Amino acid sequence: MNAGRLIFLMGPSGAGKDSVLQRLQQSLEGRGCRIARRVITRSAEAMGEEAVSVSPREFGERERAGDFAMVWRANGLAYGIPREIEEWLADGYQVIVNGSRGYLDEARRRYPDLLAVLLQVEPAILRRRLLARAREDVGEIEARLARSAELSGSAFMQADRRIIRLDNSGSLDETVERLLRLIDSH
């Protein structure tokens, strides 16, 4: 079997990555594709995704033990992608991870054939979504919006033609359908 490919889904908090992945899960049967569950230092009550919540201490222990294929820190949290993705990729699966724009360079270094997909949302919609989910206070939301604008507006992100951009300002079903077409074509 050929080696699989990593699909690195990125986007600002509130862009709908979790919703897209949850809806996508229903359509992956028979496509040779798996979704990796992130490990995050966020309380389970604050999770909006199917991730594993751990304490910062446990995360550090797991990181030192080599449990993660990828690790990054953003917005005061630590994120890890379990090492099991290495086996999935070796077995020929396409593996989708909920990634970070700030980690893309490192992810590409480790997985040169990765498919980078950037989920975008109109700024006003993004602000409404962040306020509605009520995970953070207004100051934290403004910090996330500023980081999003900085990362999305960077010359690197704008000039990188290898990034596939999907607008998720409208229908979730349309976004998922476009992502499924990408998965099927790669």
Side-chain angles (χ1 to χ4, degrees):
M1 185 177 266
N2 294 330
R5 184 174 200 179
L6 185 72
I7 300 170
F8 199 74
L9 182 65
M10 310 168 285
S13 295
K17 297 180 304 290
D18 303 328
S19 298
V20 166
L21 291 173
Q22 288 170 3
R23 182 76 54 90
L24 186 66
Q25 183 71 47
Q26 303 163 10
S27 302
L28 293 181
E29 187 68 35
R31 281 189 158 94
C33 193
R34 293 191 174 178
I35 298 174
R37 287 181 62 193
R38 296 192 297 184
V39 177
I40 306 176
T41 57
R42 180 188 299 145
S43 72
E45 296 79 37
M47 300 296 262
E49 66 179 283
E50 292 184 25
V52 177
S53 175
V54 297
S55 69
R57 179 176 165 213
E58 182 181 348
F59 189 95
E61 290 169 359
R62 291 184 65 177
E63 183 177 10
R64 286 186 293 280
D67 289 353
F68 301 121
M70 294 182 271
V71 172
W72 63 88
R73 286 165 174 76
N75 302 307
L77 302 170
Y79 299 82
I81 303 297
R83 183 149 307 281
E84 70 186 341
I85 71 163
E86 302 287 348
E87 294 172 28
W88 295 349
L89 291 167
D91 288 342
Y93 288 98
Q94 292 189 80
V95 178
I96 304 171
V97 299
N98 186 340
S100 166
R101 292 165 294 168
Y103 190 77
L104 178 59
D105 282 342
E106 178 63 18
R108 278 193 173 137
R109 188 186 67 72
R110 298 193 51 149
Y111 305 95
D113 294 328
L114 75 73
L115 178 64
V117 178
L118 178 62
L119 211 55
Q120 298 176 307
V121 176
E122 295 172 18
I125 293 172
L126 185 62
R127 174 174 269 108
R128 279 197 308 270
R129 287 181 183 174
L130 290 172
L131 288 167
R133 72 183 190 182
R135 278 191 213 158
E136 298 123 341
D137 64 33
V138 173
E140 291 168 323
I141 289 171
E142 291 304 320
R144 281 189 181 272
L145 290 168
R147 180 175 183 267
S148 173
E150 179 183 323
L151 284 171
S152 295
S154 73
F156 162 73
M157 291 298 282
Q158 293 296 321
D160 192 335
R161 297 188 190 279
R162 297 174 295 171
I163 296 174
I164 296 170
R165 290 163 171 78
L166 294 179
D167 186 352
N168 192 34
S169 299
S171 162
L172 179 60
D173 288 333
E174 289 174 13
T175 303
V176 169
E177 186 57 40
R178 288 191 307 269
L179 186 53
L180 282 170
R181 285 195 300 268
L182 282 173
I183 290 168
D184 291 343
S185 68
H186 289 86

